[in-house]
Amino acid sequence: MDETLLDIGEVAERTGLAPSALRFYERKGLISSTARNGLRRAYRPEVLERLGLIMCARGAGFTVAEISSFLSAGPGDREVREKMAVKAGELNQRVAQLTRLRDALDHAATCDHEPLTDCPDFKRAVWNARPESTASSP
Amino acid sequence: MDETLLDIGEVAERTGLAPSALRFYERKGLISSTARNGLRRAYRPEVLERLGLIMCARGAGFTVAEISSFLSAGPGDREVREKMAVKAGELNQRVAQLTRLRDALDHAATCDHEPLTDCPDFKRAVWNARPESTASSP
DNA sequence: CTGCGACTTGAACCGCGGTTCAAGTCAAGG
DNA sequence: CCTTGACTTGAACCGCGGTTCAAGTCGCAG
């Protein structure tokens, strides 16, 4: 047996993911165990890298299905690359919105307004944080 | 009856939210119908503003429970204000991470690497997008 | 009075992203 | 040999954020 292959417990420990999550990802096609040591999954070390990518994408709000489609991007796969570009654009929108919302929240945290929701500055800040206001500001 | 009060259908239409969602929010304490016209909910116009805030926060990834606690912020409610400040900080982290991820995705969309996951530039970009790397950049 | 249609309710259901559980299988060690 | 303990499976369950549905209740028009 190849000593470099990793047990599921090993992978779980190194990534911080639960074994159940790893099996779940495997069911969903995000990762694959390349061999079996008896019944047990044996993962190649590269899976750690892949899982890093997956965790990152999940953390950024991508669904498992999206990640799956991105990960299976073929050679000249125009389709997926385009989707990626679209996603990148969406991320930009999102970043802008979150930034504005943070500003609103910053104000909220420090402003002493009786019912916070009545503070005009807060209102303005929230208004600015609407998704649409990302694009339109004439 | 006060003509300025809004029917649930009215509110749904103006906000773009489903009536079921409005009732759901009401159950969760995010909004309240201030009167009943017979059985029917009657909303004050201010609810529109409040819903704008709610939609915005939901869009930014806040849970309904979080929003609820923020909305019920009392006068000198240190607790909640502090939580807001914390949330604002988290948003900053998130913005940084999303920005980095967008960079990774931008590269992925244009780079012609056989298995995308092997592209060293992509790997680096993803590596940089790890949540922890937000703080550490030596 | 008799619809009609827009509302009301609670309860059931959905997709997502996993977790938990019971029951079974394996390899190694005493 | 038999135990131990980490794995295996499928199926059931969970919280979240709602949606859908059946059954009931209104106000208003004809």
Side-chain angles (χ1 to χ4, degrees):
Chain A
M1 294 293 168
D2 189 342
E3 282 303 307
T4 69
L5 290 182
L6 301 168
D7 192 340
I8 194 176
E10 203 82 22
V11 175
E13 193 177 351
R14 293 205 194 181
T15 58
L17 290 167
S20 62
L22 295 175
R23 286 191 280 261
F24 177 72
Y25 288 159
E26 194 165 334
R27 273 212 306 285
K28 296 293 183 176
L30 294 194
I31 58 176
S32 56
S33 49
T34 52
R36 290 285 174 124
N37 197 346
L39 256 190
R40 305 178 177 199
R41 288 166 177 78
Y43 292 101
R44 271 181 301 207
E46 298 92 295
V47 84
L48 295 176
E49 207 167 283
R50 197 178 178 90
L51 283 169
L53 171 52
I54 291 167
M55 293 168 76
C56 179
R58 284 287 303 120
F62 289 72
T63 69
V64 167
E66 280 172 338
I67 297 170
S68 176
S69 95
F70 284 4
L71 283 181
S72 58
D77 200 340
R78 289 265 148 259
E79 299 263 4
V80 174
R81 304 285 169 134
E82 268 174 37
K83 279 187 195 161
M84 286 182 181
V86 169
K87 264 293 169 186
E90 289 178 14
L91 276 187
N92 263 336
Q93 301 280 358
R94 193 154 186 73
V95 164
Q97 195 208 343
L98 290 188
T99 302
R100 289 168 192 275
L101 197 66
R102 181 211 48 192
D103 292 344
L105 217 42
D106 269 343
H107 176 78
T110 63
C111 137
D112 294 327
H113 225 98
E114 185 55 22
L116 171 62
T117 47
D118 282 359
C119 167
D121 290 358
F122 181 63
K123 283 188 191 174
R124 265 201 336 103
V126 169
W127 177 255
N128 278 294
R130 285 165 314 137
E132 319 85 62
S133 81
T134 296
S136 66
S137 51
Chain B
M1 293 292 168
D2 190 340
E3 282 303 307
T4 69
L5 291 182
L6 301 168
D7 191 340
I8 194 176
E10 202 82 21
V11 176
E13 193 177 351
R14 294 206 193 180
T15 58
L17 290 167
S20 61
L22 295 176
R23 285 190 280 262
F24 177 72
Y25 288 158
E26 195 165 333
R27 273 211 307 286
K28 297 294 184 175
L30 295 194
I31 58 177
S32 55
S33 49
T34 52
R36 289 290 173 120
N37 197 346
L39 256 191
R40 307 180 176 198
R41 288 166 179 77
Y43 293 102
R44 272 181 300 208
E46 298 92 295
V47 85
L48 295 177
E49 207 167 283
R50 197 177 178 90
L51 283 169
L53 171 51
I54 291 167
M55 293 169 76
C56 178
R58 283 287 302 121
F62 289 72
T63 69
V64 167
E66 280 173 338
I67 297 171
S68 176
S69 96
F70 283 5
L71 283 181
S72 58
D77 200 339
R78 289 266 149 258
E79 298 264 4
V80 174
R81 304 285 168 134
E82 269 175 36
K83 278 187 196 162
M84 286 183 181
V86 169
K87 265 292 170 188
E90 288 177 14
L91 275 187
N92 264 335
Q93 301 279 359
R94 191 153 188 73
V95 164
Q97 195 207 343
L98 290 189
T99 302
R100 289 166 191 276
L101 197 66
R102 183 213 46 193
D103 292 343
L105 217 42
D106 270 343
H107 176 77
T110 63
C111 137
D112 293 326
H113 225 97
E114 186 54 22
L116 171 62
T117 48
D118 282 359
C119 167
D121 290 359
F122 181 64
K123 282 188 191 174
R124 265 200 336 101
V126 170
W127 178 255
N128 278 293
R130 284 165 313 136
E132 319 85 60
S133 80
T134 295
S136 67
S137 51

